[in-house]
Amino acid sequence: MEQPAFEGMPRRLYPCTPTRLSTWLDCPRRYRMTYLDRPPAPKGPPWAHNSLGASVHNALAGWWRLERAQRTVTAAGDLLESGWINQGYADDTQSAQQRETARHMVERYVAGLDPAGEPLGVERTVGTRTERIVVTGRIDRLDERRRSDGDRALVVVDYKTGRRPLTTDDARTSMPLALYALAAGRMFHTECRLVELHHLPTATVHAWEHSAESLGRHLRRAESIAAECADADEHFQAGLLAGRVDTVFPPRPGPACGWCDYRASCPEGSATAAARRPWEGLAVAL
Ligand code: SF4
């Protein structure tokens, strides 16, 4: 890669989120369209599965913000309904069906919670830095639990609403969860190695307990990805991409292109995967 004009100067800490790093890994062109292009490329219509996911996340966050006495199962369902995001669905009938399904999902989940078990954080922003990166992100829920030896430990809880069933491997290999655990542990000066995916559609929890080494591996990987992003960003911002934009930010076409917000602006992606209808990602699509 051609060196940017300011090569040799000390590089600033690279600010990033786990989502930004994952986007680079998935497709550098999508990364450019998402984070660098100005004006930004036009995005496709909203996805119904994202609307459903946001509605569920908002309802669960709102439930924990209620007074303890108000944290009932019905209250969770009511929050889901009052905050329903009605975007991306085929029609009002499908939206209503999905709202009913989501209400059931949220109520079933909340029925298994202890309303008095106050989380340490809800939609809590955490961050940490190394010599190379500053990484920030938002944790759905940060629990504080007693370990078997009596010590306190923090647990990163991530709600999932997608239709794909999850496995323990999803928790183990998730770089975002590992980075959140590292950041939370450092911020609260408390051990945080356990990460959990709570998959509401299947009412299952997939947990993984990291070691210091496995957290370190995820962090080094994040630094390595961030270094690639920083290089690409610098070339973009220094205007060194004439005729080479697709070399630095190559498209990575594959089946996921059907779900890409920028598919309509991407010839390779459009040629690779048919456009998905906005509601096709729902667990039960029409
Ligand atoms: S359509 Fe595919 S190749 Fe094109 S930007 Fe999106 S993910 Fe990348």
Side-chain angles (χ1 to χ4, degrees):
M1 184 183 290
E2 184 183 338
Q3 296 304 305
F6 31 83
E7 177 67 20
M9 293 177 67
R11 175 168 274 170
R12 288 188 304 125
L13 288 176
Y14 187 73
C16 58
T17 62
T19 305
R20 184 173 181 127
L21 301 181
S22 299
T23 303
W24 172 264
L25 277 187
D26 290 344
C27 176
R29 176 181 285 173
R30 182 154 62 86
Y31 171 93
R32 172 177 59 80
M33 290 174 156
T34 304
Y35 296 106
L36 301 179
D37 280 356
R38 294 292 176 273
K43 292 174 80 170
W47 299 98
H49 60 276
N50 286 346
S51 297
L52 186 146
S55 301
V56 168
H57 279 71
N58 291 343
L60 292 175
W63 189 79
W64 283 113
R65 292 188 184 113
L66 295 173
E67 298 293 326
R68 284 188 194 183
Q70 295 175 335
R71 291 178 192 160
T72 63
V73 168
T74 303
D78 290 347
L79 283 168
L80 183 282
E81 294 222 13
S82 63
W84 185 245
I85 300 169
N86 186 26
Q87 292 183 339
Y89 296 95
D91 51 34
D92 288 346
T93 302
Q94 187 191 50
S95 176
Q97 288 169 345
Q98 292 292 321
R99 190 175 64 228
E100 194 57 36
T101 301
R103 177 174 187 131
H104 170 70
M105 206 159 66
V106 164
E107 290 188 340
R108 178 177 63 181
Y109 180 73
V110 161
L113 299 177
D114 173 8
E118 206 69 51
L120 191 60
V122 171
E123 295 197 340
R124 168 82 200 208
T125 297
V126 295
T128 191
R129 68 173 56 201
T130 71
E131 290 179 350
R132 299 176 184 174
I133 61 173
V134 177
V135 60
T136 55
R138 201 165 62 171
I139 301 176
D140 288 341
R141 198 174 89 212
L142 185 62
D143 284 355
E144 184 177 31
R145 301 184 198 157
R146 287 266 169 221
R147 295 189 325 197
S148 54
D149 61 8
D151 282 350
R152 294 158 59 233
L154 306 185
V155 183
V156 172
V157 172
D158 197 38
Y159 304 132
K160 291 293 181 191
T161 59
R163 61 182 176 178
R164 181 176 73 84
L166 300 176
T167 68
T168 301
D169 243 24
D170 290 306
R172 181 180 66 81
T173 60
S174 168
M175 184 177 63
L177 289 184
L179 296 177
Y180 295 153
L182 264 169
R186 290 178 179 179
M187 284 177 71
F188 291 95
H189 306 290
T190 304
E191 181 185 289
C192 184
R193 294 185 179 173
L194 187 60
V195 297
E196 294 182 349
L197 293 170
H198 291 204
H199 189 240
L200 275 76
T202 54
T204 52
V205 172
H206 305 275
W208 182 256
E209 180 146 17
H210 280 289
S211 62
E213 290 72 28
S214 66
L215 289 177
R217 277 197 298 276
H218 277 291
L219 187 58
R220 285 192 295 280
R221 182 161 175 259
E223 287 181 323
S224 164
I225 299 165
E228 292 180 19
C229 294
D231 270 346
D233 289 8
E234 286 176 4
H235 280 74
F236 184 90
Q237 282 146 7
L240 297 174
L241 293 176
R244 297 187 317 115
V245 68
D246 287 341
T247 305
V248 179
F249 299 94
R252 201 158 286 161
C257 294
W259 303 101
C260 177
D261 285 332
Y262 303 104
R263 178 185 169 280
S265 306
C266 175
E268 291 86 345
S270 299
T272 301
R276 299 284 190 163
R277 292 176 297 178
W279 56 89
E280 274 189 65
L282 294 167
V284 183
L286 288 178

